[in-house]
Amino acid sequence: MPASDRGMNDAFNRELERERDHDRHELSQSVQTNVPLLNPQQKEVYEILMKVVDEGNGGLFFLDTPGATGNTFLMSLIFATIRARSGIAVAVASSSIAATLLEGCRTAHSALKFPLNLQTIEQPTCNIAKNFAMVKVFIAAKIIICNECTMTHKRALEALDRTLKNLRKDSRCFGGAMILLSDDFRQTLPVIPRSTAADEINACLKSYNLWHNVKKFQLVANMRVALPNDPSAEDFCKQLLTIGNGLVPVDKSSGFISFPPNFCNFVSSKDELIENVFPNMIANHKNGEWLSERAILAAKNKYVDDFKFCNSECNSWYSAFIQIC
Ligand SMILES: Nc1ncnc2c1ncn2[C@@H]1O[C@H](COP(=O)(O)OP(=O)(O)OP(=O)(O)O)[C@@H](O)[C@H]1O
């Protein structure tokens, strides 16, 4: 078969069309429904950020969002507002689990082609050639959201800055694009193999040389507590903030903290953990809704590999979980 004669323009336009291919009516309705629900702080941030989007002057913004303060809710609303007006909004996240939180979000490494060895390159750029199909999308984007950004290496931001200046032929920061970072620095910092705590702090976005120029906003009202369906959430959220703010004493000999009383349920074995999270797995393993409500998270891949499953009937399911987790 002769090769089809498709120019690069086709690929560019396909990506642009895909980014604009949303049900604008449905998005407008969702915006109309959700804007009145915003709490005063969320509303203030939403209005400021949408004004920046409308003015089109770009800039670097950071939204500090402790757990459950409505980061996902607000990001989704900003996304929907821009898309409902046929604008292009790009969302990336530092991990694939985090990318599932926002519609159309991809991992930063996949969408922006960051080099894999960021920590060893002094002046990295994204591996985006000018004929890369997403280039027009990055040029046209009203906003680039980097969700759950605290795990991102500061050099990723440097690479994005260099690349956008080059693609958009604009010497302003990030080529004049609007970049919105969001997350909570009480959570995980960049993971650097065989590093010290100092290496992680040095790699963190707060060590980025333009960090002092970032315009910062904060959400503080915990919406899971405000919603009436979870009375235990208030204590749990306070405990999380206490740990995140470094207020729980560290044991000098071990370097560990002790969890506050009633913080969580402890189990004594992996089997007990699995039985608690996935009770009666054999009966439930084909129930997608039941499965989507539970997960076991592990801090390291080696702990994931340690999970051994012996039940042949749903062995394949167990394996699938562990990969996802
Ligand atoms: N203004 C609001 N009106 C109604 N519900 C809201 C509002 N803001 C947030 N919520 C709800 O509160 C819960 C927590 O919000 P959301 O998931 O957006 O927070 P988050 O900061 O992303 O939390 P986490 O980091 O813990 O995932 C969700 O169920 C969300 O739908």
Side-chain angles (χ1 to χ4, degrees), residues 37-39 42 65-74 101 148 187 223-224 227:
L37 298 180
L38 293 173
N39 68 34
Q42 292 172 335
T65 53
T69 49
N71 176 29
T72 310
F73 190 83
L74 188 55
L101 294 173
E148 311 280 339
Q187 297 178 17
M223 294 308 288
R224 271 194 206 107
L227 302 171

Side-chain angles (χ1 to χ4, degrees), residues 161-179:
D161 180 34
R162 257 179 230 115
T163 305
L164 288 178
K165 278 178 178 155
N166 183 24
L167 292 178
R168 297 167 71 111
K169 298 188 177 57
D170 186 330
S171 60
R172 289 178 295 166
C173 267
F174 298 92
M178 178 177 178
I179 310 290

Side-chain angles (χ1 to χ4, degrees), residues 10 34 45 49 52 65 69 86 137 212 227 253 261 312 318 320 322:
D10 278 357
N34 287 324
V45 175
L49 293 175
V52 179
T65 53
T69 49
S86 301
V137 172
H212 56 276
L227 302 171
S253 56
S312 58
Y318 279 170
I322 294 309

Side-chain angles (χ1 to χ4, degrees), residues 39-177:
N39 68 34
Q41 227 173 19
Q42 292 172 335
K43 187 161 187 287
E44 190 187 344
V45 175
Y46 172 76
E47 285 172 355
I48 294 173
L49 293 175
M50 286 313 303
K51 188 161 177 274
V52 179
V53 169
D54 292 338
E55 289 171 352
N57 291 326
L60 182 56
F61 300 83
F62 173 64
L63 183 58
D64 177 14
T65 53
T69 49
N71 176 29
T72 310
F73 190 83
L74 188 55
M75 293 294 145
S76 305
L77 186 56
I78 292 173
F79 240 56
T81 311
I82 294 173
R83 286 176 167 172
R85 299 175 189 167
S86 301
I88 290 180
V90 174
V92 298
S94 50
S95 69
S96 43
I97 284 278
T100 60
L101 294 173
L102 283 181
E103 177 77 31
C105 185
R106 294 163 61 183
T107 63
H109 275 91
S110 156
L112 301 170
K113 310 282 176 221
F114 289 131
L116 292 175
N117 51 346
L118 272 169
Q119 61 264 38
T120 58
I121 308 179
E122 276 305 317
Q123 295 209 324
T125 52
C126 302
N127 292 319
I128 296 177
K130 286 205 167 147
N131 60 359
F132 177 50
M134 285 286 284
V135 164
K136 275 195 181 178
V137 172
F138 294 132
I139 293 174
K142 301 267 183 204
I143 192 169
I144 299 177
I145 292 178
C146 302
N147 201 14
E148 311 280 339
C149 70
T150 57
M151 284 179 70
T152 305
H153 197 291
K154 68 176 178 190
R155 289 202 185 135
L157 223 47
E158 294 169 12
L160 185 60
D161 180 34
R162 257 179 230 115
T163 305
L164 288 178
K165 278 178 178 155
N166 183 24
L167 292 178
R168 297 167 71 111
K169 298 188 177 57
D170 186 330
S171 60
R172 289 178 295 166
C173 267
F174 298 92

